[in-house]
Amino acid sequence: MREALVAAAFRLFLERGYEETTVDDIVALAGVGRRSFFRYFPSKEDVVFPDHERCLADMTAFLAAGDGDDEPVGRVCDAARLVLLMYAENPGFSVQRYRLTKKVPGLRAYELSVVWRYERALAGYLRGRFAGRRDGVLRADVIAAAVVAAHNNALRSWLRSDGTGEPTATVDHALDLVRAAFDGGPRPPVDERPEDVVVVVSRRGAPLWRVVQEIETTLGRD
Amino acid sequence: MREALVAAAFRLFLERGYEETTVDDIVALAGVGRRSFFRYFPSKEDVVFPDHERCLADMTAFLAAGDGDDEPVGRVCDAARLVLLMYAENPGFSVQRYRLTKKVPGLRAYELSVVWRYERALAGYLRGRFAGRRDGVLRADVIAAAVVAAHNNALRSWLRSDGTGEPTATVDHALDLVRAAFDGGPRPPVDERPEDVVVVVSRRGAPLWRVVQEIETTLGRD
């Protein structure tokens, strides 16, 4: 019944336009009553995004199932991939919806609120993992936003190509860029660093003695 | 007249609630006609965010005025600071609006769409600056999202503290985190690097000879 309502809705949206289609039109085509529609979907907008609630629940469960040993940025990247999987499960439907959403400002606004909920789920997880660390909340929010932007950049590329080809590698590449920028999140306080790291940045043309001097100073061995 | 409409609207929103206040109530209190209201504000939601259109225009103009020599990530951070300035100009009003927006889902959705427009303005600028570079569009989108998230994290901290104190340092600190993660955006192709840079990462406990060996190898001097 749920699938029949979605199919009827999209057939009408494509034939007549989204604004021109009423819930009454949808239930008439699907051969069910209005109450059945609203049992599954709180509003006409919700029928356009029938899988996001399930995907949000899956994402939240996936993040909660971590054992605390996972690298946090990697874990949220994996969580974001669940959204890609949902889109890739049904390329034809995903491309239709993408085109519809671009045309209808109300759906675009709805989509922004859905994206925001994904972002908050990722940020909430990272805030927990970074708890007690310096700038933990700030880093959590920034990394969550970066992960969502990278994922959506890759997802949109795939949707614009009409869902042809395999989107996984593109999304992996995009998420790798975020992981490279924020590898592992904030560092623990100094006294908790068993594997303290020194980063030296030098121009390639710098004389070697200058580089060594810099390292000695940094290591406190001058 | 515009300011009088905003003042009347907020007085009623605080006294009666946002949903319970109509445009008719607002114009009656302000002593003007409905048409005057709609000359300034397309809808009741827009009166809650009276300055964002101006701020978006200022941001776009600021970005367009760059001479192409600015460091791109620094430039979008400076552009984001224009939003902070707008909020900090009028702390009392900004805090009132923050509380109202948290309570009314429709206003939250409106705010998300405004934030999205700021983010696209920043991303559009970065896409232009990164044109022709590998992953230029992806980097532009990710950095724009990270800048907006960092800015909004700091802005919300200030709003939650009832707009007391000086928010500039907090926002600067948040934006510095993004700049550190994405210093300067994508690098030019190898043959365009006049000031090539080598980064060496080493454990603090590593013996100095091992570090030097690593640098020699990286510099191609082994």
Side-chain angles (χ1 to χ4, degrees):
Chain A
M1 161 102 67
R2 196 169 183 280
E3 286 70 30
L5 284 165
V6 174
F10 269 80
R11 190 170 144 193
L12 293 169
F13 294 160
L14 294 175
E15 282 175 14
R16 306 183 187 178
Y18 175 79
E19 303 290 5
E20 292 73 17
T21 302
T22 65
V23 170
D24 285 331
D25 299 332
I26 297 169
V27 297
L29 181 61
V32 301
R34 275 177 72 85
R35 284 177 60 186
S36 302
F37 182 92
F38 289 109
R39 194 182 313 141
Y40 293 106
F41 305 107
S43 72
K44 190 174 80 170
E45 286 168 345
D46 293 284
V47 78
V48 180
F49 304 94
D51 298 324
H52 277 301
E53 288 302 329
R54 174 181 63 79
C55 192
L56 267 159
D58 288 352
M59 181 186 276
T60 307
F62 173 81
L63 290 169
D67 59 6
D69 285 339
D70 325 285
E71 195 279 299
V73 181
R75 187 88 187 164
V76 291
C77 287
D78 289 343
R81 285 188 182 91
L82 296 175
V83 181
L84 177 74
L85 285 179
M86 176 188 69
Y87 278 79
E89 249 173 34
N90 199 338
F93 178 71
S94 296
V95 171
Q96 274 182 359
R97 173 169 61 195
Y98 173 67
R99 292 185 189 146
L100 187 65
T101 305
K102 279 212 299 187
K103 275 191 294 197
V104 182
L107 294 179
R108 183 77 200 111
Y110 184 101
E111 195 176 47
L112 284 178
S113 72
V114 172
V115 171
W116 175 249
R117 290 173 66 198
Y118 284 118
E119 191 174 317
R120 295 331 294 162
L122 301 180
Y125 169 79
L126 289 173
R127 285 175 174 214
R129 293 298 305 276
F130 296 164
R133 305 244 178 124
R134 194 162 63 89
D135 291 330
V137 171
L138 170 62
R139 268 189 187 266
D141 287 1
V142 169
I143 294 172
V147 165
V148 167
H151 173 276
N152 287 352
N153 175 288
L155 176 61
R156 277 195 304 272
S157 296
W158 179 71
L159 291 168
R160 271 198 305 271
S161 76
D162 294 339
T164 54
E166 223 289 298
T168 312
T170 316
V171 168
D172 287 348
H173 175 74
L175 293 172
D176 282 349
L177 185 140
V178 177
R179 294 186 72 168
F182 296 103
D183 58 331
R187 295 206 209 155
V190 175
D191 55 350
E192 291 172 24
R193 295 187 203 170
E195 293 282 25
D196 205 352
V197 154
V198 173
V199 175
V200 175
V201 177
S202 160
R203 301 203 191 287
R204 193 176 278 273
L208 188 57
W209 66 265
R210 187 68 197 83
V211 179
V212 173
Q213 193 183 52
E214 184 65 29
I215 294 167
E216 285 185 321
T217 310
T218 309
L219 292 173
R221 290 180 196 165
D222 54 342
Chain B
M1 160 108 61
R2 197 168 182 279
E3 287 69 30
L5 283 164
V6 174
F10 269 81
R11 188 168 146 194
L12 291 169
F13 295 159
L14 295 176
E15 281 175 14
R16 304 184 187 177
Y18 175 79
E19 304 291 4
E20 291 72 18
T21 302
T22 65
V23 170
D24 285 330
D25 298 333
I26 297 168
V27 297
L29 182 61
V32 301
R34 274 177 74 85
R35 284 176 61 186
S36 301
F37 182 92
F38 289 109
R39 196 183 311 142
Y40 292 106
F41 305 107
S43 73
K44 190 174 79 171
E45 286 168 344
D46 292 285
V47 77
V48 180
F49 304 94
D51 298 323
H52 277 301
E53 288 302 330
R54 174 181 62 79
C55 192
L56 267 159
D58 287 352
M59 180 186 278
T60 307
F62 172 81
L63 291 169
D67 61 6
D69 285 338
D70 325 285
E71 196 279 297
V73 182
R75 187 89 187 161
V76 290
C77 287
D78 289 344
R81 286 189 182 91
L82 297 174
V83 181
L84 176 75
L85 285 179
M86 177 188 70
Y87 278 79
E89 249 173 33
N90 199 340
F93 178 71
S94 297
V95 171
Q96 274 183 357
R97 172 168 62 195
Y98 173 68
R99 291 185 191 147
L100 186 65
T101 305
K102 279 213 300 188
K103 275 190 295 198
V104 183
L107 293 179
R108 183 79 200 110
Y110 185 101
E111 195 176 47
L112 283 177
S113 72
V114 172
V115 171
W116 175 249
R117 290 172 68 199
Y118 284 118
E119 190 173 317
R120 295 330 295 160
L122 301 180
Y125 169 80
L126 290 173
R127 285 174 175 216
R129 293 298 306 275
F130 296 163
R133 305 244 179 122
R134 194 162 62 88
D135 292 329
V137 171
L138 170 63
R139 267 188 188 267
D141 287 0
V142 169
I143 293 172
V147 165
V148 166
H151 172 276
N152 287 352
N153 175 289
L155 175 61
R156 277 195 304 271
S157 296
W158 178 70
L159 291 169
R160 271 199 304 272
S161 76
D162 295 339
T164 53
E166 223 289 297
T168 313
T170 316
V171 168
D172 287 349
H173 176 74
L175 293 173
D176 282 349
L177 184 140
V178 177
R179 294 186 73 168
F182 297 103
D183 58 332
R187 295 210 207 151
V190 173
D191 56 349
E192 291 172 24
R193 295 188 203 168
E195 293 281 28
D196 206 352
V197 155
V198 174
V199 175
V200 176
V201 177
S202 162
R203 300 202 192 289
R204 192 175 279 272
L208 189 56
W209 67 265
R210 186 66 198 84
V211 180
V212 173
Q213 193 183 53
E214 183 64 31
I215 295 166
E216 286 184 322
T217 310
T218 309
L219 292 172
R221 290 180 195 167
D222 53 344

